[in-house]
């Protein structure tokens, strides 16, 4: 939510949840899940259209979550928790235009009257009389907000200060959507239809196999079937989706980006894509044979294959970050002169983008796919620099973001390792520990708001040769005595040992130094 803005287009179904049914169930489910590590809110389907993401499926949940966040925001203000309220607003309610300093709503409705109602609710906490039509979207939003606000006040009554923190941590760090983002609404709706259609008998892998075999001469069919099965078995531990993904990535290198939904129709020549020519079944099998050894090393860098040790380190780095979308570019670059330098560039671009922006969108994957084809066509990896120039943030922006932005634990571990090793391809040494535990109820020197803000940042991490956090490491002195001595080679143990307290001043100072080293590593 904090990395995007959303628009519910006019052709979408209106907000239809009512307070005594779906909204009540939504509240009860979240209230009962407060003590859990995570809670899954289901699938949302979005399209990249202009500055905002258009909501194809999921508007009921996105709007209801926004209304709940607004209720939390206004209750935090009422309780004097200004920092907490500002965090809720920046994550869920309003974004900042970095060019003009203007604050903009994260969620808007295309209908003018309904959007006015939504924004009035978010701005005033519902404390305004709005003239709305009976049984309209606006009325249902008002009723849903009032229901959520009343329920929240009941919940907060037992301990307002603590419960506000619990709720904010929950919606910020432990609520999840599964997200499909596509570059056009037609593609998004096709995925929506597939997901919501039961009983599809054949997987994409089955369809592709049947097509390839049907286009093979009878005398060669048994041989080809064995070859197909042999390649597919390489992906057996990762499931058929990984095999289909490999096919799509190989096809992308030679033909440009193809959406997963379109892969079968494209290869079977059932649809025509401008300037994209599908390989014949014979050509496809040749591509699958040729690229398999290197691709398997991308999945598992410990396997034997053609990649050099330095290339394998790049594969391991991307895997630790969970980045798959650049594999077509890596396949294409592997065939160019000075391929190692090109792969290093891709890794740096990925990390810079993760830190400053958002890597996981359909539009970015499409850009990567088209860039892979140009590398293949020109046999020169340097075209990536030009094709993806606008995705490459400045060092200044990178350093500013890595100082104070929260990341998931896997990303934090990789970034910390790269800083400690001063290398973009660090060894996977040590276990990441948070100096101040993210779930800690109290930490001397830090308010709850400060703890929430700094808990998931690079400054609050440390790599140690300990699998588990010692029980005594619940204070700064306990952390220094039990975890600092176990720091991995190159960790900043001495830097931390000289600090009297782990407070905002210390975090500010350490984050600045870490960010500068990160800027040196990644630029």
């Amino acid at each position: 939510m904090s990395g995007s803005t959303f628009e519910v287009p006019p052709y979408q179904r209106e907000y239809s949840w009512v307070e005594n049914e779906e909204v009540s169930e939504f509240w009860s489910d979240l209230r009962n899940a407060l003590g859990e590590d995570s809670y899954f809110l289901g699938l949302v389907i979005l399209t990249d259209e202009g500055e905002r993401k258009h909501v194809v499926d999921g508007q009921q949940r996105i709007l209801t979550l926004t209304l709940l966040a607004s209720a939390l925001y206004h209750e935090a203000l009422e309780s004097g928790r200004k920092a907490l309220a500002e965090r809720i607003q920046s994550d869920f309610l309003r974004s900042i235009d970095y060019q003009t300093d203007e604050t903009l709503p994260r969620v808007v409705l295309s209908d003018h009257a309904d959007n006015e109602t939504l924004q009035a609710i978010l701005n005033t906490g519902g404390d305004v009389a709005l003239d709305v039509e009976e049984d309209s979207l606006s009325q249902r939003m008002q009723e849903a907000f009032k229901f959520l606000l009343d329920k929240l006040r009941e919940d907060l009554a037992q301990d307002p200060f603590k419960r506000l923190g619990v709720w904010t941590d929950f919606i910020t760090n432990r609520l999840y959507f599964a997200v499909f983002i596509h570059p056009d609404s037609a593609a998004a709706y096709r995925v929506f239809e597939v997901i919501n259609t039961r009983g599809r008998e054949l997987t994409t892998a089955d369809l592709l196999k049947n097509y390839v075999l049907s286009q093979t001469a009878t005398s060669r069919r048994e041989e080809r079937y064995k070859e197909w099965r042999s390649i597919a078995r390489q992906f057996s531990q990762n499931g058929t989706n990984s095999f289909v993904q490999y096919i799509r990535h190989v096809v992308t290198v030679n033909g440009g980006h193809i959406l997963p939904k379109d892969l079968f129709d494209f290869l079977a020549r059932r649809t025509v894509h401008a300037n994209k020519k599908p390989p014949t079944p014979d050509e496809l099998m040749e591509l699958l044979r040729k690229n398999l050894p290197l691709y398997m090393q991308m999945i598992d860098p410990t396997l034997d294959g053609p990649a050099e040790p330095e290339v394998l380190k790049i594969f391991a780095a991307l895997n630790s970050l969970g980045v798959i979308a650049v594999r077509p570019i890596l396949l294409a670059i592997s065939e160019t002169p000075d391929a190692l330098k090109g792969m290093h560039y891709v890794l740096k671009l990925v990390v810079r983008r993760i830190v400053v922006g958002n890597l996981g969108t359909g539009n970015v994957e499409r850009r990567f796919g088209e860039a892979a084809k140009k590398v293949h066509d020109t046999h020169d990896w340097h075209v990536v620099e030009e094709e993806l120039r606008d995705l490459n943030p400045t060092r200044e922006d990178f350093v500013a973001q890595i100082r104070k932005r929260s990341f998931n634990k896997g990303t934090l571990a990789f970034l910390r390792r790269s800083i400690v090793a001063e290398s973009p391809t660090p060894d996977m040494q040590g276990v990441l520990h948070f100096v101040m535990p993210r779930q800690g109820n109290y930490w001397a020197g830090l308010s709850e708001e400060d703890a929430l803000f700094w808990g998931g940042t690079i400054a609050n991490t440390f790599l140690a040769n300990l699998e588990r956090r010692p029980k005594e490491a619940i204070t700064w002195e306990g952390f220094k005595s039990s975890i600092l001595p176990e720091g991995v080679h190159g960790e900043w143990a001495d830097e931390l040992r000289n600090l009297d307290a782990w407070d905002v001043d210390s975090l500010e100072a350490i984050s600045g130094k870490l960010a500068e080293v990160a800027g040196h590593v990644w630029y």
Side-chain angles (χ1 to χ4, degrees):
M1 295 287 285
S2 64
S4 305
T5 55
F6 307 89
E7 180 173 347
V8 179
Y11 51 78
Q12 258 287 20
R13 181 180 63 173
E14 288 188 347
Y15 184 78
S16 59
W17 283 10
V18 294
E19 76 275 12
N20 61 346
E21 294 179 11
E22 295 91 352
V23 179
S24 176
E25 183 178 355
F26 181 87
W27 165 262
S28 297
D29 287 348
L30 265 59
R31 174 63 181 80
N32 294 333
L34 276 177
E36 298 178 8
D37 291 335
S38 64
Y39 184 78
F40 180 54
L41 283 170
L43 171 73
V44 295
I45 300 177
L46 311 170
T47 65
D48 271 330
E49 297 185 34
E51 295 297 319
R52 296 182 180 274
K53 290 181 171 61
H54 282 211
V55 182
V56 175
D57 186 50
Q59 68 136 322
Q60 315 288 338
R61 284 160 291 147
I62 289 175
L63 273 176
T64 308
L65 180 60
T66 300
L67 294 174
L68 175 59
S70 180
L72 278 166
Y73 167 76
H74 288 285
E75 287 302 293
L77 285 180
E78 187 70 19
S79 299
R81 300 200 63 179
K82 184 178 179 181
L84 193 70
E86 290 176 349
R87 186 59 181 262
I88 296 169
Q89 178 163 258
S90 65
D91 280 348
F92 292 93
L93 304 179
R94 302 191 72 82
S95 65
I96 297 175
D97 185 329
Y98 293 111
Q99 303 300 319
T100 65
D101 237 12
E102 181 183 8
T103 59
L104 304 169
R106 289 206 176 277
V107 179
V108 300
L109 305 176
S110 294
D111 182 89
H112 178 71
D114 291 333
N115 189 57
E116 277 194 337
T117 300
L118 174 62
Q119 303 312 322
I121 291 172
L122 302 187
N123 291 334
T124 67
D127 189 23
V128 60
L130 296 171
D131 185 17
V132 299
E133 295 180 7
E134 188 75 12
D135 197 34
S136 64
L137 183 155
S138 291
Q139 184 187 53
R140 288 192 291 274
M141 281 194 297
Q142 282 184 301
E143 292 171 349
F145 178 79
K146 184 179 184 305
F147 174 88
L148 291 168
L149 183 61
D150 290 343
K151 287 293 185 181
L152 181 63
R153 284 172 174 170
E154 291 176 13
D155 182 87
L156 297 179
Q158 54 183 293
D159 187 346
F161 190 95
K162 181 179 180 180
R163 295 297 288 179
L164 279 167
V166 170
W167 271 102
T168 303
D169 174 54
F170 180 68
I171 70 169
T172 303
N173 297 315
R174 287 180 280 144
L175 283 187
Y176 294 89
F177 286 112
V179 183
F180 280 133
I181 303 178
H182 288 270
D184 66 89
S185 57
Y189 274 106
R190 286 199 297 273
V191 171
F192 173 72
E193 291 166 3
V194 169
I195 290 171
N196 288 277
T197 300
R198 296 181 179 180
R200 183 169 182 176
E201 296 180 357
L202 295 175
T203 66
T204 301
D206 290 328
L207 292 169
L208 287 170
K209 177 187 68 177
N210 292 348
Y211 170 72
V212 168
L213 292 177
S214 72
Q215 300 300 305
T216 301
T218 305
S219 60
R220 297 180 53 210
R221 194 164 291 166
E222 180 66 22
E223 176 187 352
R224 175 147 292 173
Y225 168 72
K226 291 180 179 178
E227 183 179 24
W228 180 275
R229 186 176 60 179
S230 174
I231 296 173
R233 281 179 174 173
Q234 301 295 314
F235 299 87
S236 59
Q237 291 185 346
N238 305 98
T240 57
N241 285 342
S242 293
F243 178 40
V244 173
Q245 188 176 70
Y246 168 57
I247 297 172
R248 187 167 69 90
H249 285 172
V250 166
V251 170
T252 293
V253 174
N254 291 263
H257 178 64
I258 297 293
L259 290 168
K261 173 65 173 65
D262 296 334
L263 180 62
F264 172 71
D265 287 341
F266 174 68
L267 290 175
R269 301 171 187 262
R270 295 185 181 180
T271 59
V272 177
H273 293 253
N275 303 318
K276 288 182 170 65
K277 180 182 178 182
T280 66
D282 285 345
E283 291 169 340
L284 175 63
M285 294 304 298
E286 175 59 29
L287 291 173
L288 296 179
R289 283 193 298 268
K290 174 185 174 184
N291 290 284
L292 184 63
L294 184 63
Y295 197 90
M296 293 309 299
Q297 287 186 293
M298 291 183 190
I299 296 174
D300 183 355
T302 66
L303 297 177
D304 290 333
E308 298 295 328
E310 288 302 311
V311 171
L312 294 176
K313 289 183 179 181
I314 294 172
F315 295 166
L318 291 167
N319 286 347
S320 69
L321 292 167
V323 176
I324 295 173
V326 296
R327 286 177 181 171
I329 294 182
L330 299 178
L331 287 173
I333 289 177
S334 70
E335 299 291 330
T336 67
D338 205 6
L340 178 60
K341 187 175 180 180
M343 292 187 187
H344 267 294
Y345 178 83
V346 170
L347 173 61
K348 289 186 175 183
L349 176 62
V350 164
V351 172
R352 295 169 187 173
R353 188 71 189 173
I354 288 174
V355 168
V356 174
N358 187 359
L359 188 68
T361 70
N363 186 51
V364 172
E365 183 182 19
R366 179 184 61 80
R367 297 282 304 279
F368 285 158
E370 296 302 324
K373 183 179 186 305
K374 291 200 174 183
V375 172
H376 173 266
D377 291 345
T378 62
H379 204 60
D380 181 1
W381 74 261
H382 291 88
V383 300
V384 173
E385 296 176 304
E386 183 60 34
E387 291 296 314
L388 304 179
R389 184 180 301 277
D390 61 305
L391 299 181
N392 196 8
T394 65
R395 175 171 176 165
E396 181 182 21
D397 286 344
F398 177 89
V399 171
Q401 288 291 330
I402 202 172
R403 283 190 65 190
K404 294 187 176 182
R405 186 174 175 187
S406 294
F407 301 96
N408 64 54
K409 195 170 184 179
T411 300
L412 285 171
F414 177 79
L415 292 173
R416 185 84 190 197
R417 288 179 180 123
S418 73
I419 292 170
V420 168
E422 296 190 30
S423 167
T425 54
D427 293 332
M428 298 296 110
Q429 61 171 339
V431 175
L432 188 82
H433 294 272
F434 292 105
V435 179
M436 170 199 65
R438 294 182 70 176
Q439 281 74 41
N441 294 324
Y442 173 77
W443 185 269
L446 288 174
S447 68
E448 188 172 346
E449 290 88 344
D450 290 331
L452 183 64
F453 180 86
W454 287 100
T457 64
I458 191 72
N460 190 45
T461 62
F462 188 81
L463 293 169
N465 296 312
L466 292 172
E467 290 292 332
R468 295 180 177 273
R469 185 185 188 91
K471 292 182 179 180
E472 59 268 26
I474 57 173
T475 64
W476 175 232
E477 291 302 322
F479 183 91
K480 286 201 293 184
S481 64
S482 63
I483 295 183
L484 278 189
E486 301 297 329
V488 301
H489 177 71
E491 250 296 2
W492 293 28
D494 292 338
E495 185 93 20
L496 299 184
R497 191 174 289 112
N498 294 327
L499 298 174
D500 294 328
W502 193 245
D503 52 19
V504 172
D505 290 339
S506 297
L507 283 158
E508 287 273 11
I510 292 296
S511 70
K513 294 177 182 179
L514 289 168
E516 286 302 320
V517 175
H520 173 72
V521 170
W522 294 105
Y523 283 82

